[in-house]
């Protein structure tokens, strides 16, 4: 009987003895890296795209305007009365890392379909010190068919890798190598133009920044070598708007048009007044 009592007591004590102690489970806490704030306020720094993308389902409306060159005539009021170029565009974020867009431009009736992808994003901790984005477009020249022998002659393409860094709350810089391609070019030109651009922003107040944008063609043509692009201006930004006004020698508004065909020399006075206006709608 004594043995039975011992067995019964052992059975009742099972939940408390050592081999039935609760196993301590330690869950690993997943820490999500905080992304650095965007290096720029707008998806463009004057004439080149930036690394800026938007939250999912956001829509950006863009208006870009370039007046005529200031030294283009004797009576054009610093280019205001001269022929001007205009582009209106829409960009939609189908994902926080991917945007697609469409734009229409006055000169040559260019219709561009564009996209931007965030490959790497800068983090606040510095574990990823830079942002890397890919921007591309496919553009159609919609002038009358008398200007072309084949439909493929209307097409051009642009591909750019944007490497940007927000150094501080005031200073952001980027470098962006690119390749422009035209199916139809003059015999003295090449179909492809390799280029690189350098851009920067310096904030002088919470809403105001100084912008500099420089573009350097690298591929050499036999004639009509395109001139480098230089833009200097200022930007005024709010939570949903960005307004840029500047001096520039680019007036093509579509990137490959600027890189392949620009003949305005900034340092010879061939510059013009331009502005960009963007508005973001979050849905």
């Amino acid at each position: 009987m004594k043995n039975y009592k011992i067995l019964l007591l052992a059975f009742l004590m099972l939940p408390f003895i050592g081999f039935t102690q609760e196993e301590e489970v330690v869950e690993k806490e997943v820490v999500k890296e905080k992304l650095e704030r965007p290096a720029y306020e707008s998806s463009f720094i004057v004439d080149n795209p930036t690394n800026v993308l938007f939250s999912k389902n956001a829509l950006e409306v863009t208006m870009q305007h370039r007046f005529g060159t200031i030294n283009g005539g004797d009576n054009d009021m610093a280019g205001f009365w001269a022929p001007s170029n205009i582009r209106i565009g829409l960009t939609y974020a189908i994902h926080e890392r991917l945007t697609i867009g469409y734009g229409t431009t006055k000169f040559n009736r260019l219709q561009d379909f564009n996209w931007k992808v965030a490959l790497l994003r800068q983090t606040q901790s510095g574990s990823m010190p830079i942002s890397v984005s890919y921007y591309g477009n496919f553009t159609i020249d919609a002038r009358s068919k008398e200007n072309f022998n084949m439909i493929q002659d209307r097409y051009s393409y642009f591909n750019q890798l944007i490497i940007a860094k927000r150094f501080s709350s005031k200073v952001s810089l980027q470098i962006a190598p690119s390749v422009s391609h035209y199916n139809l070019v003059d015999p003295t030109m090449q179909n492809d133009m390799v280029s690189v651009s350098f851009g920067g922003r310096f904030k002088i107040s919470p809403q105001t920044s100084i912008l500099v944008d420089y573009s350097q063609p690298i591929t050499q043509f036999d004639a009509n070598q395109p001139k480098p692009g230089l833009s200097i201006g200022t930007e005024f930004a709010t939570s949903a708007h960005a307004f840029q006004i500047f001096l520039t020698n680019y007036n093509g508004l579509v990137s490959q048009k600027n890189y392949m065909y620009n003949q305005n020399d900034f340092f010879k006075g061939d510059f013009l007044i331009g502005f960009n206006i963007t508005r973001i709608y979050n849905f």
Side-chain angles (χ1 to χ4, degrees):
M1 178 66 71
K2 185 176 181 180
N3 292 335
Y4 288 113
K5 290 181 179 179
I6 293 173
L7 290 174
L8 178 61
L9 181 62
F11 180 78
L12 293 174
M13 293 297 294
L14 278 176
F16 305 101
I17 61 179
F19 63 82
T20 59
Q21 288 180 347
E22 284 190 20
E23 182 181 350
E24 184 179 357
V25 178
V26 179
E27 295 183 359
K28 293 183 179 180
E29 183 180 357
V30 178
V31 179
K32 186 176 181 180
E33 284 275 13
K34 290 186 178 180
L35 298 177
E36 183 61 88
R37 291 190 60 185
Y40 300 94
E41 302 294 340
S42 171
S43 59
F44 279 88
I45 176 170
V46 186
D47 286 298
N48 279 290
T50 67
N51 69 318
V52 170
L53 287 101
F54 314 112
S55 57
K56 185 178 179 180
N57 296 326
L59 175 69
E60 181 189 52
V61 180
T62 304
M63 175 175 284
Q64 298 166 273
H65 193 288
R66 305 293 183 269
F67 294 100
T69 53
I70 289 176
N71 66 352
D74 296 329
N75 189 28
D76 60 10
M77 197 175 135
F80 282 81
W81 295 340
S84 58
N85 198 12
I86 303 169
R87 178 182 178 272
I88 297 175
L90 299 174
T91 302
Y92 179 71
I94 60 178
H95 187 272
E96 63 179 8
R97 284 178 175 261
L98 174 64
T99 62
I100 57 175
Y102 165 77
T104 181
T105 302
K106 176 183 174 183
F107 288 178
N108 293 351
R109 302 182 182 180
L110 301 179
Q111 315 299 308
D112 66 279
F113 301 86
N114 57 78
W115 51 90
K116 189 189 296 183
V117 182
L119 304 176
L120 300 173
R121 296 190 289 182
Q122 183 179 352
T123 60
Q124 291 183 4
S125 68
S127 60
M128 177 52 63
I130 60 173
S131 294
V132 179
S133 302
Y134 161 68
Y135 173 87
N137 76 38
F138 164 62
T139 300
I140 302 172
D141 188 324
R143 289 178 294 172
S144 61
K145 61 182 180 180
E146 289 78 16
N147 292 281
F148 310 96
N149 294 321
M150 300 183 296
I151 188 171
Q152 291 86 348
D153 295 343
R154 298 179 180 272
Y155 302 157
S156 64
Y157 310 86
F158 183 75
N159 294 280
Q160 187 173 55
L161 196 64
I162 305 164
I163 304 166
K165 182 175 178 62
R166 186 176 189 259
F167 288 89
S168 69
S169 60
K170 292 181 182 257
V171 179
S172 298
L173 299 174
Q174 72 175 40
I175 180 172
S178 65
V179 178
S180 305
H181 176 87
Y182 274 81
N183 284 349
L184 176 66
V185 296
D186 187 270
T188 62
M189 302 169 61
Q190 297 188 39
N191 294 89
D192 297 299
M193 165 60 75
V194 177
S195 308
V196 63
S197 72
F198 305 89
R201 180 188 74 165
F202 180 76
K203 296 192 76 171
I204 57 177
S205 79
Q207 288 79 36
T208 308
S209 303
I210 302 298
L211 303 177
V212 177
D213 184 27
Y214 178 79
S215 302
Q216 177 63 55
I218 297 174
T219 304
Q220 296 295 309
F221 296 159
D222 294 335
N224 299 318
Q225 180 67 23
K227 302 295 190 296
L230 176 61
S231 305
I232 303 172
T234 187
E235 178 182 64
F236 308 95
T238 66
S239 60
H241 290 82
F243 176 73
Q244 301 174 356
I245 184 167
F246 41 80
L247 291 178
T248 182
N249 62 321
Y250 271 169
N251 69 348
L253 291 178
V254 176
S255 296
Q256 58 264 46
K257 183 71 173 177
N258 286 328
Y259 281 110
M260 292 282 280
Y261 289 101
N262 176 60
Q263 293 300 313
N264 293 329
D265 190 331
F266 190 96
F267 297 103
K268 291 184 177 179
D270 300 332
F271 51 79
L272 51 92
I273 298 171
F275 64 81
N276 298 332
I277 303 174
T278 61
R279 174 68 164 92
I280 299 174
Y281 298 90
N282 292 296
F283 297 101

